[in-house]
Amino acid sequence: MGLPAASDAVGSGEAGFEWFREMLSARVMPVMLETSDVAGFRAGITDLDLGVVQLTAVSCSPVLSRRTSTDVRRGDPEHVQVALIAQGRLVIAQRRNESLVAGGLVVTDTSRPSRASRTGGMIHTVGLRIPRQDLALNADRVDGLLARNLAADTGSGGVLADFLKTLLAHGPHCRPEERRALGAVALDLATAFLAQQLGDPGQAPAEARAQETLRRIHRFIENNLDDPDLSPQVIADRHNVSLRHLHALFADEPLTVSARIRNRRLERARTDLASAEMRGQPVQAIAVRWGFSSATGFSRAFREAYGVTPTEHRAVSLAAPQHAEHINPALHAHHRARSRPRFSAGDGTTE
């Protein structure tokens, strides 16, 4: 289960200990740290932005960490954390549970006080930080899993553990859109793993399951905007729901399914048109890149959403860094305000 240290930032000695304490508080959450060997202390941290979730790998010398109620009040990202203890030993206590974890997985909640002692030489952990609102499981039931030693060498735990290590090794070399897609996979694997620990995944409340399905659909849309065949029927088929049920899931959303697809495509195209790196790409090529089969239809939809044509938006955006803000910042700010999207909700209204 050993995992090589992989860090984008490292520190050692007394200065390294202070750096490590500051990094943990800034990147993860406020904690209090103690070590018996400040002079020999070594540590490293790697962060990987995966969109809906974050991956954080930590390597450090033996250390004691405490997160008190005061620390929670100082800063709480409201995350459920699932960490693989890939090397070393972790004695973790939270709520009414306390466990020794070595080579296993452990779940913690940033909104609750906790205590952890890292022993056994250098310890390497790979943790997935999941916003609580994106975890479609009953929070009270997940509480029962906190600070328990969960197997990482069999079943869904083994799959999740291997995936976390693979993400750490190869994720930094992936493009941003690839990392977002991998983040969605990581969330699904973590949810499946936790649901398995809780018993029958079908016991999750119907509302929570519906919200998770909706989040999956949003991620599916984001990952397939470049497919000109993307449609409500395709989405329904891929998620094993009826077209009627799909529209019901979006009933309380600000946009219908079709409007969501169209407007996310327009936003992606708008970003590309404003990019200096895409300067050499014709407007029509960018439209095709984001699933628009008709140049005329794209131009009309773009103007309806932003009040300018794609060509006008590109010209102003590419000229702005060199001229507009330098000459008249107020005028440029006024243009940005006018260019905010006026998206159709799909029912003849705009938002």
Side-chain angles (χ1 to χ4, degrees):
M1 293 294 294
L3 186 71
S7 302
D8 60 4
V10 296
S12 60
E14 184 174 356
F17 179 70
E18 293 301 322
W19 164 85
F20 183 62
R21 179 161 53 189
E22 292 176 2
M23 285 296 98
L24 276 185
S25 293
R27 294 190 181 191
V28 183
M29 59 184 178
V31 292
M32 300 174 63
L33 298 182
E34 299 176 14
T35 181
S36 59
D37 183 13
V38 174
F41 187 82
R42 293 185 297 138
I45 300 177
T46 295
D47 269 341
L48 191 60
D49 184 357
L50 299 172
V52 67
V53 296
Q54 307 291 309
L55 187 79
T56 299
V58 174
S59 303
C60 68
S61 301
V63 66
L64 172 67
S65 66
R66 287 182 293 129
R67 179 163 165 82
T68 66
S69 297
T70 301
D71 295 320
V72 173
R73 289 192 295 270
R74 283 174 51 207
D76 181 14
E78 298 186 354
H79 286 165
V80 171
Q81 301 185 122
V82 182
L84 170 68
I85 314 305
Q87 180 176 319
R89 297 188 299 272
L90 177 75
V91 178
I92 178 73
Q94 189 169 53
R95 206 166 178 249
R96 291 179 294 275
N97 298 332
E98 182 170 351
S99 301
L100 168 63
V101 186
L105 290 154
V106 63
V107 182
T108 55
D109 185 341
T110 64
S111 298
R112 296 180 179 273
S114 61
R115 183 183 73 257
S117 176
R118 296 165 173 84
T119 62
M122 288 293 290
I123 184 169
H124 302 312
T125 67
V126 188
L128 199 64
R129 295 149 53 197
I130 307 171
R132 191 179 297 110
Q133 65 182 15
D134 291 319
L135 189 62
L137 295 171
N138 185 286
D140 291 337
R141 298 188 67 211
V142 172
D143 278 353
L145 299 177
L146 299 179
R148 284 176 48 190
N149 182 15
L150 305 175
D153 58 357
T154 184
S156 58
V159 173
L160 177 60
D162 287 345
F163 189 70
L164 292 179
K165 291 187 286 186
T166 300
L167 275 178
L168 180 61
H170 302 289
H173 310 295
C174 294
R175 297 188 303 273
E177 59 270 25
E178 290 179 310
R179 289 198 294 269
R180 287 193 296 270
L182 291 171
V185 174
L187 175 58
D188 289 345
L189 288 177
T191 302
F193 166 69
L194 295 174
Q196 186 64 38
Q197 302 302 312
L198 293 171
D200 181 6
Q203 293 178 3
E207 182 178 350
R209 294 200 304 272
Q211 288 301 310
E212 173 58 17
T213 300
L214 187 59
R215 283 190 286 269
R216 288 171 183 260
I217 289 170
H218 281 317
R219 294 196 295 269
F220 181 80
I221 290 174
E222 289 297 308
N223 294 332
N224 292 276
L225 290 172
D226 59 342
D227 183 354
D229 294 327
L230 182 65
S231 67
Q233 187 63 63
V234 168
I235 294 170
D237 291 343
R238 288 294 299 271
H239 291 82
N240 298 312
V241 299
S242 67
L243 191 59
R244 180 178 179 180
H245 183 63
L246 175 65
H247 289 307
L249 287 172
F250 276 77
D252 294 328
E253 294 288 291
L255 300 175
T256 64
V257 186
S258 297
R260 171 85 182 186
I261 296 171
R262 181 178 64 252
N263 295 336
R264 290 300 296 140
R265 282 172 167 166
L266 286 170
E267 288 176 8
R268 293 291 187 89
R270 182 173 185 251
T271 298
D272 280 358
L273 289 167
S275 170
E277 296 179 357
M278 303 290 290
R279 185 193 300 267
Q281 292 290 321
V283 171
Q284 185 174 359
I286 290 176
V288 171
R289 183 184 186 209
W290 293 114
F292 290 95
S293 56
S294 166
T296 301
F298 168 66
S299 182
R300 181 173 59 252
F302 194 96
R303 187 181 186 100
E304 289 176 355
Y306 299 108
V308 293
T309 67
T311 302
E312 290 169 344
H313 168 67
R314 165 177 270 182
V316 172
S317 298
L318 295 180
Q322 304 175 28
H323 304 292
E325 288 188 346
H326 176 71
I327 296 172
N328 191 339
L331 179 61
H332 189 63
H334 175 68
H335 171 79
R336 286 201 305 268
R338 289 186 61 198
S339 296
R340 289 174 184 157
R342 298 187 297 275
F343 285 151
S344 169
D347 57 3
T349 64
T350 56
E351 55 165 11

